[in-house]
Amino acid sequence: MNPTSAPPTDLPALLARIALRERAAFEPLYRATCAHLLGVAFRILNDRDRAEEVLQEAFMNVWQNAASYRPDVAAPMTWLINIVRNKAIDALRSGKTERASTTALDDEAMAVAGDPALEPQRLLDDGLTKARIDGCMAALNASQRQALALAYYRGMVHTDIALALNAPVGTAKAWVRRGLDKLKDCLVAAGVGA
């Protein structure tokens, strides 16, 4: 990318326009950041529906508090990620509070066999696998990561991905195809998969 060319989405400018209640600035901000922010919420909550709810609450917060964004304190994505992260942690805590206030089960209900997926070695192996997958995802370029996230986390088809990323359909297809190829090669090299 040419260092003198402007980024495709000027997040600080969009946030400044949103602070002035300019509705037209909200959609480009959402489109540019929603996939990444949904991933942040999902990693914390590990529940797609709850992550989407948190993302919606976070964007409502952005709309209401965009005037509080200070570019000299944090980059736009850092500010947005902090909002989503805090909302997700609050949701996680409220879920724990809800579970703590439920009635205890009797001994018969507690006699259920342990879940092998929760055994320490399995949890460690799963954590290492996730770290390898995250590393392989980080090795993709931003366009490929976004295209794959939209395809797999949002269930979007190529035409929807192209529209969301403001790119031709052929380019979106290439990002998905090349991203999958690079991801597969990296995962095989990392020893992940069958």
Side-chain angles (χ1 to χ4, degrees):
M1 180 174 166
N2 182 345
T4 60
S5 67
T9 304
D10 187 0
L11 298 181
L14 290 174
L15 286 170
R17 289 172 50 203
I18 291 168
L20 298 172
R21 296 293 189 239
E22 192 175 322
R23 291 181 187 268
F26 196 79
E27 183 179 350
L29 177 79
Y30 179 84
R31 286 186 180 272
T33 61
C34 69
H36 183 77
L37 296 175
L38 180 63
V40 170
F42 182 78
R43 279 192 289 278
I44 293 169
L45 298 167
N46 203 27
D47 180 316
R48 171 72 183 222
D49 292 337
R50 289 180 71 199
E52 288 177 352
E53 289 172 11
V54 162
L55 185 65
Q56 181 179 1
E57 289 175 19
F59 273 109
M60 287 172 45
N61 192 308
V62 168
W63 176 255
Q64 294 166 352
N65 299 304
S68 70
Y69 169 68
R70 293 190 38 212
D72 56 325
V73 174
M77 278 305 289
T78 303
W79 186 71
L80 293 167
I81 288 169
N82 279 331
I83 291 171
V84 171
R85 183 181 159 278
N86 290 340
K87 293 278 184 198
I89 290 171
D90 288 347
L92 196 60
R93 286 180 182 150
S94 72
K96 286 181 181 176
T97 303
E98 183 180 305
R99 286 189 299 276
S101 66
T102 58
T103 306
L105 299 174
D106 60 16
D107 289 339
E108 185 179 319
M110 296 301 288
V112 176
D115 185 352
L118 298 177
E119 293 176 3
Q121 185 61 46
R122 175 75 181 267
L123 291 172
L124 175 64
D125 292 343
D126 290 348
L128 292 172
T129 299
K130 183 186 179 311
R132 289 179 183 128
I133 292 169
D134 288 347
C136 288
M137 286 296 290
L140 301 175
N141 69 42
S143 299
Q144 291 168 338
R145 261 194 318 275
Q146 285 181 317
L148 288 176
L150 291 173
Y152 289 95
Y153 294 124
R154 292 290 210 154
M156 290 184 173
V157 295
H158 292 118
T159 53
D160 294 336
I161 294 168
L163 183 63
L165 297 178
N166 196 23
V169 175
T171 302
K173 285 181 181 180
W175 287 337
V176 170
R177 185 180 62 253
R178 289 183 185 134
L180 283 173
D181 288 345
K182 286 174 83 173
L183 187 60
K184 178 184 168 196
D185 291 345
C186 181
L187 292 174
V188 167
V192 178

